[in-house]
């Protein structure tokens, strides 16, 4: 990370307009991005300059230039601010402020020999329309997703959380190319220590630029060495607003269609907003199914390798005969066979993600069938292993978080190596190592495995399964919100009309 370069902060005013023009053109390396026009009005020279593609032309012509030139007033800095029918005007006399506002879409008006210059924000914002989420698809519940426009995203958050207690704290990040970041929380609920920690991490960043909020996560997360994601990155406004209402913190960044939710535990990555919208028993079933799928995805292929290589005695006799016939023509040991198929699945997945949508789906399905069938017929692998690898791949896709799903798929490879070298003992060694590692990981300074470690019985029903809504009156105690109570004991008490 580099410290920002020192800028010239001297007062350049008063100045002649021709000198101002030369100075501004030199700041833009003599290119054609700057529109600099000089008008002669009431015996005074007035300069108007801006970057054309950063502003809205109709606003400049109708709201500024028309008023400026048709009015008989003898303009100066104060009269422009007081009489111009625009509300966003401000004065400046520092070059670094002028350049910063210029690239943000401000139009500058300077009356020759005045001590200050006036600017108006007339920024034009290019943005795509609201659409469905691409990586976090949901069947039940709101379908809208965040966009690259920070203004639109803030509007969505205000629309979803109708409270004067909602804080949208502005922080500028990036020394050379600054980006606006918003720290979002409910002041009366969010833990003050978490808010201060996140604010400090954002303010202490000394980087030139940030390409996306996922890059920001890599700077502010607790540990950059762990493979597990520590903050949940979501493109769903309803998930973000729900987390904020529970006492957690959201972070939005300019030009990024993703929000950060912090702190986020290991179990947060297996939760889906659909769990809230479904019946409690259905939501609990699906959540438990995801945990089972995660375990299957991580251990099924390594278990096959360990059993076939070292532990034939644990395989049922009838299945052992079928397995022997399937592997009779395979010249490779199970570990190479498994790694080959896992790599093939990953190649197909990556190719399907990078190719155009319709072609990618075809390649994924047809390629998997053709290559798998050809591999069995050529004697490179057994058909039983193909079944196991396919089940493992399908199980990894049940995780709502793309980052956590990718992590689980990546962890399969060291687990296969351990199983191939040490059998079930190697598998247990790998699982114990993962557990010890997870016990050491933190998220915004809080334990990653909450509420399992440290154990909090009152929070178990919020991560492993769901109880009926009437029993969800308390917030997640492990995050220590200021207000633990969501609703009272009798909030959902039912009465008939004649009672």
């Amino acid at each position: 990370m580099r410290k920002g370069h020192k800028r010239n902060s001297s007062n350049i005013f008063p100045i002649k307009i021709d000198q101002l023009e030369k100075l501004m053109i030199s700041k833009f390396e003599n290119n054609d991005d700057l529109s600099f026009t000089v008008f002669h009005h009431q015996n005074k020279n007035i300069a108007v300059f801006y970057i054309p593609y950063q502003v809205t032309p109709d606003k400049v012509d109708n709201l500024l230039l028309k008023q400026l030139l048709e009015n008989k007033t003898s303009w100066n800095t104060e009269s422009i601010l007081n009489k111009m029918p625009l509300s966003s005007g401000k004065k400046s006399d520092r070059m670094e402020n002028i350049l910063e506002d210029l690239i943000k879409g401000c139009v500058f008006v300077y009356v020759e020999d005045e001590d200050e210059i006036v600017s108006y924000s007339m920024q034009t914002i290019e943005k795509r329309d609201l659409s469905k989420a691409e990586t976090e698809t949901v069947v039940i519940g709101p379908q809208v997703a965040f966009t690259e426009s920070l203004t639109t995203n803030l509007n969505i958050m205000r629309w979803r959380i109708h409270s004067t207690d909602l804080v949208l704290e502005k922080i500028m990040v990036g020394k050379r190319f600054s980006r606006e970041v918003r720290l979002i929380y409910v002041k009366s609920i969010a833990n003050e220590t978490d808010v201060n920690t996140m604010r400090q991490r954002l303010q202490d960043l000394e980087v030139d630029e940030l390409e996306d909020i996922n890059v920001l996560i890599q700077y502010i997360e607790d540990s950059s060495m762990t493979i597990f994601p520590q903050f949940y990155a979501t493109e769903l406004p309803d998930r973000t607003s729900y987390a904020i209402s529970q006492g957690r913190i959201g972070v939005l960044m300019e030009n990024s269609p993703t929000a950060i939710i912090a702190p986020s535990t290991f179990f947060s990555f297996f939760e889906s907003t659909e769990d809230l919208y479904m019946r409690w028993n259905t939501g609990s079933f699906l959540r438990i199914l995801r945990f089972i799928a995660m375990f299957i995805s991580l251990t099924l292929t390594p278990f096959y390798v360990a059993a076939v290589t070292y532990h034939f005695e644990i395989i049922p006799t009838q299945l052992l005969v079928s397995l022997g016939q399937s592997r009779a023509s395979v010249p490779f040991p199970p570990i190479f066979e498994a790694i080959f198929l896992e790599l093939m699945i990953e190649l197909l997945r990556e190719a399907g993600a990078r190719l155009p949508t319709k072609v990618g789906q075809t390649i994924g399905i047809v390629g998997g069938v053709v290559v798998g069938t050809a591999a069995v017929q050529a004697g490179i692998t057994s058909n039983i292993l193909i079944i196991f690898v396919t089940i493992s791949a399908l199980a990894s896709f049940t995780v709502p978080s793309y980052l956590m799903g990718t992590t689980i798929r990546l962890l399969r490879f060291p687990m296969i190596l351990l199983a191939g070298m040490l059998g079930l003992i190697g598998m247990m060694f790998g699982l114990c190592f993962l557990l010890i590692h997870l016990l050491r990981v933190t998220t915004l300074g809080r334990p990653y495995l909450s509420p399992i470690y440290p154990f909090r019985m009152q929070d178990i029903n919020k991560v492993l399964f769901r109880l009926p809504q009437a029993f969800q009156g308390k917030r997640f105690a492990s995050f220590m919100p200021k207000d633990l109570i969501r609703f009272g004991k009798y909030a959902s008490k039912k009465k008939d009309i004649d009672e």
Side-chain angles (χ1 to χ4, degrees), residues 25 41 53 112 274 401 492:
I25 291 176
H41 181 75
Y53 51 77
E112 194 168 44
E274 289 181 318
S401 169
S492 59

Side-chain angles (χ1 to χ4, degrees), residues 43 53 63 75 131 135 152 194 196 210 212 238 247 268 362 391-392 414 421 428 442 475:
N43 298 321
Y53 51 77
L63 300 181
W75 296 111
S131 58
T135 60
T152 302
D194 291 345
N196 292 336
L210 290 170
D212 185 74
D238 61 318
S268 301
T362 304
I391 293 174
S392 297
M421 292 186 293
M428 291 306 301
T442 58
R475 295 185 173 89

Side-chain angles (χ1 to χ4, degrees), residues 245-292:
S245 69
Q246 293 294 309
R248 291 196 271 176
I249 303 167
V251 178
L252 287 170
M253 190 176 83
E254 179 186 359
N255 294 339
S256 180
T258 308
I260 298 174
I261 298 176
S264 299
T265 68
F266 174 77
F267 305 99
S268 301
F269 296 90
F270 297 89
E271 299 171 3
S272 172
T273 53
E274 289 181 318
D275 299 345
L276 302 174
Y277 307 136
M278 291 182 176
R279 298 283 301 168
W280 68 271
N281 35 26
T282 307
S284 296
F285 169 75
L286 293 178
R287 188 173 297 182
I288 294 172
L289 181 64
R290 294 188 201 109
F291 288 115
I292 296 174

Side-chain angles (χ1 to χ4, degrees), residues 1-15:
M1 292 181 284
R2 299 174 52 191
K3 291 185 178 293
H5 59 284
K6 187 176 181 179
R7 296 172 176 168
N8 177 22
S9 60
S10 60
N11 188 337
I12 64 171
F13 300 104
I15 189 174

